[in-house]
Amino acid sequence: MVDFPPRRKPSRKGSMVDVPKDLLEQIKELERLFTVDQAKLKEVTNHFVKELEKGLSVEGGSIPMNPTWVMGYPDGHETGTFLALDMGGTNLRVCEIVLPEEKGEFEIIQSKYRMPEELKTGGSEELWGYIADCLQQFIEYHHEVEDLEQMDKKLPLGFTFSFPATQDFIDHGILQRWTKGFDIAGVEGKDVVPLFEAALEKRKLPIKLGALINDTTGTLIASHYTDETMQIGCIFGTGCNAAYMENCGSVPKIAHHNLPPDMPIAINCEYGAFDNEHAVLPRTPFDVVIDEDSPRPGQQSFEKMIAGLYLGELFRLVLIDLHDNKCKMFEGQDISKLRKAYSLDASFLSFIEEDPFENLSETGELFSKELGIKAHKPELELCRRLAELIGTRAARLSACGVAAICKKKEIKACHVGADGSVFNKYPHFKARGAQALREILDWPAEKRDPIDIRAAEDGSGVGAALIAALTIKRVKAGNLAGIRNTEGMI
């Protein structure tokens, strides 16, 4: 019997030996456009700190810095059964969470429902009706009751509404603007809670909304519930955002509530809107095109450079430019599929970065299968480098927001709970972000990272339930700051 040596993993070092001079020149130009050096990272972060402060002021700024009326962290002793509703960009998720006597523990059952595309641009009543129908289906299935009106008491619900909303109360939220491909007329500028509650009432559902939250705030609370060193919650997915705990005395725009200055309040930054003035972010001509062709030009500038929704589109725009104007990329090929806006998403770039083969055979198959393009090896090398550049820039810029919060709050060491498809699935995103944090905060090479970004707990499910539990706990204690309707909570 022949004893073979251990099989080596496929090598993927990325040789540029076979790349023609014109393509090499384009790669160098792309490296110049998309590389963010240490000095730029620090410049962006320092500006970010100022903008966070401005957002908390009475005058406000580009970053909304929305007070959430979540007044402190859970202590691990919250108990009860809660519903959580998670309305994201793609799916609707309904959960039932049981918080038992054991500290920091939870049990969860959940169901997912596809969010039909036509609902995203349809009518308001249809949207809320569909959501209420999903809740009804979930309760009927898991509670096996024939008449929902006969249930003993209303189930408290935490509603994760992952869109920018202004909250004067925790059970209230005025939609500032739709994001994530939603554009439903007549909802922006209105309180979404009565619209949602009307749909529940119409179906006589035994549900009491305890809290309207953002997924990022939920991520912060759920992560801290299981790890008390978590001080920031982040989302790096279709969009980007962060939440952290501020002192009421450091939030001038809520000073009229006369709250104790040392009372904690969670702030939902909504910092995808950072640098809408284009003062500091290193935008390329392709970023400008994405912004100008978007439904909301001039908004969400930071998000458009780092979020999953835009990474594939950046990649596509560069390839179209190279084909049409620069170096005859994919010469003689039919690139009609590539010309379709937003036809590529972040998973396309992920796949390219994960191709383990020296000849980039899997990338070649991807272009052939998805786009009908037969790319040559040098072209595949350029595509590989471009994917690396776009993915690396996103990860490095994402670290600026985390670093800015840490600098503002003078946090020297903590865990940061991060969630979202880009953080969880995009290759090397975590490592590239960690390297950028080291560069921004000048940590010595031999020192272990004092601020560690790691996978978060389920913010939109468990976090929403915990916040509903915290709200009920506050009502029982008589601390009603930021709670509008206490009826049916206890």
Side-chain angles (χ1 to χ4, degrees), residues 162-417:
S162 302
F163 302 89
T166 306
Q167 290 187 270
D168 294 324
F169 306 93
I170 198 163
D171 50 346
H172 154 275
I174 293 172
L175 176 67
Q176 291 168 329
R177 63 188 172 278
W178 285 115
T179 55
K180 302 178 186 175
F182 280 78
D183 196 9
I184 297 167
V187 184
E188 289 183 352
K190 288 187 179 173
D191 183 358
V192 299
V193 172
L195 302 173
F196 172 62
E197 288 181 332
L200 297 180
E201 181 56 37
K202 190 175 180 182
R203 290 156 183 78
K204 301 284 188 265
L205 296 182
I207 293 170
K208 168 63 183 172
L209 181 107
L212 184 80
I213 72 155
N214 182 277
D215 55 350
T216 320
T217 312
T219 297
L220 170 68
I221 297 301
S223 298
H224 191 275
Y225 182 67
T226 56
D227 174 1
E228 292 182 356
T229 62
M230 291 278 188
Q231 292 191 49
I232 301 170
C234 294
I235 302 289
F236 303 118
T238 313
C240 70
N241 196 12
Y244 72 101
M245 205 62 76
E246 189 56 90
N247 298 320
C248 288
S250 300
V251 189
K253 64 184 176 185
I254 62 167
H256 59 285
H257 288 278
N258 297 316
L259 298 168
D262 58 349
M263 179 182 277
I265 183 167
I267 298 295
N268 165 31
C269 300
E270 291 295 351
Y271 68 22
F274 167 64
D275 200 30
N276 283 346
E277 306 79 16
H278 312 313
V280 70
L281 285 172
R283 297 203 310 161
T284 68
F286 308 104
D287 296 299
V288 173
V289 170
I290 281 182
D291 182 43
E292 289 176 350
D293 291 349
S294 71
R296 301 279 196 281
Q299 294 182 20
Q300 302 299 98
S301 292
F302 186 54
E303 185 167 279
K304 285 169 182 169
M305 294 181 74
I306 74 168
L309 182 61
Y310 305 101
L311 301 185
E313 182 65 0
L314 262 177
F315 182 81
R316 188 191 72 82
L317 287 171
V318 174
L319 294 186
I320 292 286
D321 183 59
L322 289 171
H323 175 276
D324 291 353
N325 306 315
K326 299 279 172 47
C327 61
K328 299 179 181 175
M329 185 91 166
F330 309 134
E331 190 174 13
Q333 303 267 343
D334 175 11
I335 68 159
S336 54
K337 286 186 178 178
L338 187 62
R339 290 195 186 279
K340 186 182 175 191
Y342 290 91
S343 53
L344 307 182
D345 60 17
S347 66
F348 195 92
L349 278 68
S350 294
F351 191 92
I352 294 171
E353 285 220 52
E354 286 178 321
D355 188 343
F357 297 106
E358 187 70 35
N359 65 358
L360 293 171
S361 57
E362 291 187 354
T363 304
E365 287 168 19
L366 179 71
F367 270 83
S368 176
K369 182 181 167 190
E370 299 295 327
L371 299 169
I373 293 171
K374 186 170 172 47
H376 302 298
K377 171 83 174 350
E379 293 170 334
L380 294 175
E381 289 289 357
L382 182 147
C383 290
R384 168 70 174 218
R385 186 68 186 119
L386 176 59
E388 287 173 350
L389 287 166
I390 291 171
T392 299
R393 186 187 75 163
R396 286 173 69 78
L397 286 175
S398 74
C400 295
V402 175
I405 292 171
C406 291
K407 288 185 84 165
K408 183 196 175 306
K409 292 294 293 175
E410 298 183 353
I411 297 169
K412 302 299 181 192
C414 74
H415 288 162
V416 176

Side-chain angles (χ1 to χ4, degrees), residues 110-218:
Q110 58 186 317
S111 297
K112 276 188 180 177
Y113 305 87
R114 190 82 184 160
M115 183 68 80
E117 283 299 316
E118 61 272 17
L119 277 185
K120 295 183 181 181
T121 51
S124 171
E125 205 168 311
E126 287 82 4
L127 173 71
W128 304 114
Y130 177 76
I131 292 169
D133 287 342
C134 293
L135 277 165
Q136 180 169 349
Q137 190 179 326
F138 179 87
I139 295 171
E140 286 175 344
Y141 180 79
H142 290 290
H143 284 265
E144 296 180 350
V145 287
E146 290 186 18
D147 187 353
L148 293 179
E149 291 183 64
Q150 300 306 311
M151 285 184 67
D152 292 344
K153 63 174 185 174
K154 289 190 174 185
L155 290 163
L157 173 107
F159 182 3
T160 302
F161 184 70
S162 302
F163 302 89
T166 306
Q167 290 187 270
D168 294 324
F169 306 93
I170 198 163
D171 50 346
H172 154 275
I174 293 172
L175 176 67
Q176 291 168 329
R177 63 188 172 278
W178 285 115
T179 55
K180 302 178 186 175
F182 280 78
D183 196 9
I184 297 167
V187 184
E188 289 183 352
K190 288 187 179 173
D191 183 358
V192 299
V193 172
L195 302 173
F196 172 62
E197 288 181 332
L200 297 180
E201 181 56 37
K202 190 175 180 182
R203 290 156 183 78
K204 301 284 188 265
L205 296 182
I207 293 170
K208 168 63 183 172
L209 181 107
L212 184 80
I213 72 155
N214 182 277
D215 55 350
T216 320
T217 312

